[in-house]
Amino acid sequence: MATVDEQLRQLLETFSQELSERVRSMTAQLLRLERQDGDRDEILESLFREAHSLKGAARAVHLDRIEQLTHALEEALAEARRRAQHPDGRWFDRAYAALDTIGALMAETRGERAVPDEQYQATVQGLLSAATGDELRVTGDGLRLSGDAYLSTGGRGDGRPDSAHSSPITHPSPRSSPATHHPSPVPRHPSQETIRVAVSKLDALLAQVAQLNVTKIRVEQRLQELRRLRAEIANWRREWREMRALGGKLERRRRTAPPGSEAARQLDQILGMLRSSEARLVSVDQQVELLARRLAPDINQLGTISRDLEEEIKNARLLPVATIFAPFDRMVRDLARDKHKEIRLALEGNETELDRKLLESIRDPLMHMLRNAVDHGIEPPDQRVAAGKPRSGSIRLSAEQRGGVVVIEMEDDGAGIDPDKVRAAAVAKGLLSAEQAGQLGDRQAVELIFRPGFSTAQAVSNTSGRGVGLDVVRQRLDGLNGTVDVVSRPGRGTHFIVTLPLTLATMRAVLAQLGEELYAVPTVIMERTGRARSDHLLSVEGRRAILVEGHPVPVVALASILERPAAMVGAPGILPGGVDRVSYFVLRHGERRVAFLVDRLVDEQEIVVKALAPPLVRVRNVAGATILGSGVVAMILNPADLLKSAGRSAASPAAPAAPRRAAEVPRKRILVADDSVTTRTLEKNILEAAGYVVRLARDGEEALAALAEEPVDAVLSDVDMPRMNGHELTRRIRASEAWRHLPVVLVTSLGSDDDRRRGMEAGADAYIVKSAFDQDNLLDTLRRVV
Amino acid sequence: MASAATHRSSRAPRGEAAWGQEEEARLASSIQEILEERARLLAEPPPAEVAGATQPVLCFRLGEEVHAVALHLLRSVERAQFISPVPCTPPFVAGAMNVRGEILTVIDLARLLGLERTAGVRQHVLVVEVAAADLPAGVLRTSVLVDELVEVLDVDLEQLDHSLSGREYVQGVAQGKVVVLDFERLLLDKRLEVDEEVE
């Protein structure tokens, strides 16, 4: 019967999850026990409870081998509890092996590799000898050692031997529901109720929310259309008013027309129509205005809700890094034992949360790096003592969220990486000439370990250590829009720094425009964006560079990197005539910074990442695609690729040389008044990037005080501010003798005509509505008035 | 068996020049009907007997030539608009487009078949799907850019003229002028895969 099969399948699935949780928890507790971290009896008691619960559950789903193995583990734990001294390394090896075999037995039920009977028997025997404390007895018939039938296949555990533990044991019938089989007195999640949800369900929800966002943007466009409609009606009403004079003439004609005549009747009709049309026009205008006014808050609310919803769903997809960090503890322990080294692994920031898929993808790279640290980083105990270090080495693995990224650091106190050995190896491997290698600074030399091809250098992995597969690690992180950097302090240790975006399914990106095309550039390694006058473009030894905060940064045209038509701005040589301003973004990785020229930077937004479709598998410089609010597809660029491509087309960092600058123009000063720190900062950044000197004020009164202190060339002010608003500020400026002619630009979220009129009446020179606020608009407006 | 093909649609005009926007819109909607009809049929259990070797194909113009795709591979017909270019890809990749929330790659069929010098207005995107056992979804869905739709024909696959079979991806010629393409071979051709990395 299919339904029974289905039930059994579900039951097994539930058991499998319980098993992996218990195995994980027991591993962690064994590690604590081995490190003697905590109360020995308490840990043993807890381990025993977990083993016992697992045994009951295994019995319920008829997994005899798991049940018997768990029982043997129980015995070994009971014995350990009985003994006075701490269990030895061998005891732990056997306990760990038992947990491994339990996991393997579970995998076997899922159709994965079968567990060889010898392995199973050896594990059970190992545990039993640990339990009896007698190594010699594990020679003959190990299965019978305890003299009990429970290890024979027919046993249900009813004849379990009387061991020293005293916890009450229940023997429920195998047919009852598994829930009743969990005698576990310790709730696994004491504080939070949880349910399991398939990730695919969360993904589906996320896709729905993305669609909701698209809908929201569409509705916003409807509002814009409504506003345009109002403008249209306003024009119409103006024309209508002009018609009034004509209407007056008709009225006069009506009065002179013979009463009752055909002409009089027609004129009556026309005049009646004119009057009622005007009244209806006014009414339509009012209704449209009302509609727009009511729609705006609805849209805001829709935006808030969809944003919150998206945030919540993304949070639901996050898992603490502990889920991948925890097994590292055991891995490092085993590896170190294997290499006869003493190593302590400290895990920090276990609770830091990351997207599940990201977590899975970084598990292997992190394991790789840890293995390297154990193999080559930490020295053998004698060597460490000789070097004046503590016998036991330490590795610190930490995770921490910093803004929109998670930073994972791995630091060891081993030998570090010797730059000279790396240089030598790179030369030997033919990656560099001896001369080139000699020119590299120590930091740059150490960076060579990430180079493809370097990793295979066998000589290096034996002498300086590291390098094994680190190019793969970097590649993997590139694929996740992350980075990995290394700092080595020879003799004192190595420090790896990995950065990752919080989530993978969506990311923040800046939309860059080239001609009519839009490209999404992830902001993960974007250092800044800006606009510059074309005379800030320098030529340094034949290469182009741009001054960013006074430093020359190599510059390339995004269009030429993307192999787009040369007609697009800046590609590949000199700016086309007439273009006096360029937009750019700067990507930075390690010491390397490159500015990419684009036509325009449109917007920064959250985008949903989609994969490229067949027959596209991997495309140079492209990480994926996204659907913009308009429904159009935009390519998501791969920042790491862009940097590499730029390296190929341009060259290494610009050598210091005397920059040729156009004659210095005295810089204009702008006073910015706004009560929102975000807006102030945003405006300040835009203006400074465009070459203005900016002063800030928090409201009208502060602005007036600042004006009194220092003259400026223009004022850019918010309208709604505490103490003194923008209109009042404008009036005061106009009223004063000294600043009467000072240009004032008002920036506001209030977009109504009435508001605009009041602003103009107060004497403002220009008015920018925040909804239409972008840097081009702002800069163009300022250029007009200053 | 004078002709390997017979006209399926009575509305299909005989003269090439008669094709206007309206006709084409009507053809597109009749294709939509066919697709819907097919969906209905697919939902029913298969009939005991399958008719001979004739198979409906959609004919479309590529420059001077008329090509055809087997109707059972066709998923939808889209207007060729809002196709975003994919940088750093070979010329036969016209770009990517959003088809009801799914991002599809658009292949410029004329360029792929080496007909790029023929002038023609790329008007339609045909979304096609073939079985692909090695993909997780079990199918490979992509789209091709064509000039204009012509008609739906019933073609007898056993009566195709194979004189053009030297040309790649060609199954044969029907009615002496309709080049029936082997889309399964075309779409599953590994040489079309773009899999490149920056050095």
Side-chain angles (χ1 to χ4, degrees), chain A residues 362-488:
Chain A
I362 58 161
R363 186 206 328 256
D364 287 352
L366 287 180
M367 250 163 71
H368 213 100
M369 289 158 65
L370 271 174
R371 203 168 282 144
N372 273 341
V374 175
D375 270 6
H376 313 294
I378 304 283
E379 316 90 323
D382 296 347
Q383 208 174 310
R384 289 183 62 88
V385 172
K389 293 182 180 180
R391 250 187 104 70
S392 137
S394 78
I395 302 175
R396 187 180 67 89
L397 183 62
S398 72
E400 187 194 353
Q401 185 182 337
R402 292 185 201 152
V405 295
V406 165
V407 180
I408 296 178
E409 289 176 80
M410 203 188 86
E411 203 171 1
D412 68 48
D413 66 349
I417 301 170
D418 183 341
D420 284 335
K421 283 186 181 162
V422 177
R423 282 194 195 95
V427 172
K429 198 67 199 161
L431 293 175
L432 291 175
S433 70
E435 196 186 340
Q436 283 171 316
Q439 283 168 352
L440 288 180
D442 281 358
R443 260 201 89 144
Q444 286 168 300
V446 170
E447 280 268 318
L448 285 172
I449 59 173
F450 293 113
R451 280 272 193 95
F454 186 87
S455 56
T456 52
Q458 196 56 44
V460 179
S461 59
N462 292 338
T463 51
S464 74
R466 305 304 161 88
V468 180
L470 278 174
D471 59 331
V472 180
V473 170
R474 178 166 272 183
Q475 239 172 49
R476 178 74 71 94
L477 284 162
D478 279 353
L480 301 170
N481 283 316
T483 60
V484 54
D485 289 291
V486 62
V487 179
S488 162

Side-chain angles (χ1 to χ4, degrees), chain A residues 475 517 519 561-564 610 613-622 625-627 631-635 641 644-645 648, chain B residues 82 84-89 92-93 96-98 101-105 107 135 140-142 192-199:
Chain A
Q475 239 172 49
E517 298 162 12
Y519 292 94
I561 295 293
L562 296 182
E563 301 160 21
R564 302 305 298 156
K610 301 210 172 200
L616 306 180
V617 182
R618 271 182 305 186
V619 174
R620 283 179 289 121
N621 301 311
V622 177
T626 190
I627 298 176
V632 172
V633 175
M635 291 301 130
D641 268 13
K644 280 193 229 165
S645 300
R648 285 157 53 91
Chain B
F82 306 123
S84 306
V86 184
C88 307
T89 48
F92 71 80
V93 177
M97 99 186 258
N98 169 15
E102 184 182 10
I103 294 179
L104 291 177
T105 302
I107 292 172
L135 290 185
L140 186 152
R141 194 158 40 237
T142 192
L192 257 59
E193 257 184 19
V194 177
D195 188 358
E196 292 182 341
E197 275 182 282
V198 179
E199 294 291 286

Side-chain angles (χ1 to χ4, degrees), chain A residues 719-779:
Chain A
V719 172
D720 275 331
M721 290 185 294
R723 297 209 295 177
M724 184 191 294
N725 71 20
H727 291 148
E728 183 58 28
L729 172 65
T730 311
R731 264 190 291 278
R732 297 276 191 99
I733 288 172
R734 288 290 167 262
S736 82
E737 192 57 45
W739 307 320
R740 177 182 305 170
H741 299 294
L742 183 63
V744 176
V745 176
L746 291 177
V747 182
T748 180
S749 51
L750 312 164
S752 79
D753 287 344
D754 188 44
D755 203 64
R756 185 182 300 255
R757 203 197 65 236
R758 287 205 296 139
M760 289 305 174
E761 277 171 5
D765 295 271
Y767 206 87
I768 301 176
V769 179
K770 270 183 195 164
S771 60
F773 185 77
D774 64 40
Q775 34 178 305
D776 290 333
N777 188 1
L778 174 65
L779 294 174

